[in-house]
Amino acid sequence: MDDINGPQSGYGRGNEKFLPLVPSQAPLRADAQRNRRKILDAATDLVADKGVDGLTMDELARLAGVGKGTLYRNFTDKPGIASALLDDRVRDMHARMLEGPPPLGPGAPGGERLTAFVDAYLRHIAGNLDLVLLTESSSPKGRFDRQSYPFWRRHVEILIAEMWTATAPEPTDANPSDPVRTRAEAVMAVLSAAQLDQWLNRQGRTLEELIPQIQAIVSAIAAP
């Protein structure tokens, strides 16, 4: 598999495995930290009140009580603000996956953890769908440019590997050299925000209806 650079956390049983973490914000001066926090708190309130469409830089600066120069020194555009809001929210889920109780956290078999991950991930995406879609639509590579994507994919890779009782099959024309990575990517494709938006907002389906069906699809993809 590809080498993973950046902050990492020890993970898994037996051989040591690593997961890339969302990079921490570089240390800021106390006044800069206060301004950044005011901006993010105001953005949270603005999105809750008016939705992502109502998140404008002018209104955000006014609500946060900061000048436009201060705002733009912290965030250059709406996707940057959305990304920072998501990073705040995703760290809690990362912690539960790494250190929380099973089956989402360590201590359960890989298949059970994967099922719990699908549930938690879909609820996370659904609860932040407009923010996720905004960040993904702002980049040519979409979700693949999100800082958290390697974490999600690597987590799924580890769980799939744990589900396989034998070593990965030898490569063939029909079997890529890294079948675990391929299946993890396929799982993440099923869980994409754009697909969830299609199901929830265009087809009118409910999350409670979708979750068990998607869990079954993911289990089939990941099965040895």
Side-chain angles (χ1 to χ4, degrees), residues 56-131:
T56 67
M57 303 299 272
D58 287 346
E59 182 68 1
L60 181 57
R62 186 186 69 80
L63 287 179
V66 301
K68 288 187 179 179
T70 298
L71 175 60
Y72 280 96
R73 278 194 296 273
N74 282 274
F75 305 103
T76 58
D77 53 20
K78 279 178 59 172
I81 296 167
S83 182
L85 291 175
L86 287 171
D87 286 347
D88 272 357
R89 299 173 188 186
V90 84
R91 281 190 171 88
D92 174 67
M93 185 172 171
H94 282 190
R96 289 187 289 124
M97 289 163 57
L98 291 171
E99 302 172 350
L104 183 59
E112 292 181 22
R113 294 196 67 194
L114 185 59
T115 296
F117 168 75
V118 170
D119 181 282
Y121 185 83
L122 288 174
R123 293 184 190 280
H124 165 70
I125 296 298
N128 300 284
L129 188 55
D130 286 346
L131 289 173

Side-chain angles (χ1 to χ4, degrees), residues 11-33:
Y11 184 94
R13 296 167 300 194
N15 294 332
E16 191 174 21
K17 306 184 181 81
F18 295 96
L19 281 171
L21 299 180
V22 173
S24 299
Q25 179 71 21
L28 300 172
R29 300 189 319 270
D31 60 334
Q33 290 178 358

